[in-house]
């Protein structure tokens, strides 16, 4: 199976930000079905890479999802927020929903979701 990697621009808000409107930053979305067919990864600039459930990302496009270190929810009609909690603080990343949908479609072409998750 092949690795899916997609680069995107997203707005990142952290506990350290003091600006009202953060600039868009480069973010890497990655899916490696050989490493873990149920997980996706998001790499933020100057921060550790986050790994979490592909189904959590999909669920969060429609309604708030997650209750641990990663939470995902729709923000209006065209944005999706992914929130990461760590000992160093909280990072809130706002994506264009189309970007995440395109990424998920590519992951499902690389490795369809097992029927047990439906």
């Amino acid at each position: 199976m092949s690795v899916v990697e997609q680069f995107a621009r997203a707005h990142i808000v952290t506990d350290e930000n003091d600006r009202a409107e953060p600039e868009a930053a480069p973010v890497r979305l990655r899916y490696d079905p050989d490493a873990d067919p149920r997980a996706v990864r998001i790499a933020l600039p100057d921060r550790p890479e986050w790994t979490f459930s592909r189904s959590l990302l999909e669920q969060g496009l429609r309604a708030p999802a997650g209750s641990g270190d990663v939470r995902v929810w729709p923000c209006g009609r065209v944005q999706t927020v992914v929130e990461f909690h760590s000992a160093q603080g909280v990072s809130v990343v706002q994506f264009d929903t189309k970007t995440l949908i395109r990424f998920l479609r590519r992951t499902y072409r690389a490795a369809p979701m097992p029927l047990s998750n439906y």
Side-chain angles (χ1 to χ4, degrees):
M1 292 186 248
S2 61
V3 172
V4 174
E5 193 167 73
Q6 182 173 317
F7 293 90
R9 298 206 51 84
H11 293 280
I12 301 172
V13 179
T14 67
D15 290 345
E16 302 134 17
N17 283 4
D18 57 357
R19 296 190 312 179
E21 184 64 33
E23 293 183 23
V27 175
R28 182 174 49 98
L29 307 168
R30 183 175 170 81
Y31 175 71
D32 184 350
D34 292 330
D36 185 348
R38 289 188 164 89
V40 294
R41 297 171 185 215
I42 294 182
L44 307 175
D46 303 323
R47 288 177 177 69
E49 183 176 79
W50 287 85
T51 302
F52 59 98
S53 160
R54 178 169 65 162
S55 62
L56 172 63
L57 183 59
E58 182 179 4
Q59 291 167 10
L61 295 176
R62 296 183 300 272
S67 60
D69 293 340
V70 180
R71 300 172 187 163
V72 184
W73 69 88
C75 180
R77 297 175 66 169
V78 297
Q79 301 288 309
T80 299
V81 171
V82 182
E83 184 177 275
F84 301 103
H85 293 256
S86 71
Q88 292 74 32
V90 177
S91 294
V92 177
V93 185
Q94 187 173 17
F95 289 93
D96 285 337
T97 301
K98 287 184 205 178
T99 299
L100 297 177
I101 290 171
R102 186 171 37 252
F103 172 68
L104 282 171
R105 284 184 180 150
R106 292 179 64 208
T107 71
Y108 290 126
R109 282 195 297 272
M113 180 72 81
L115 290 177
S116 62
N117 284 355
Y118 286 104

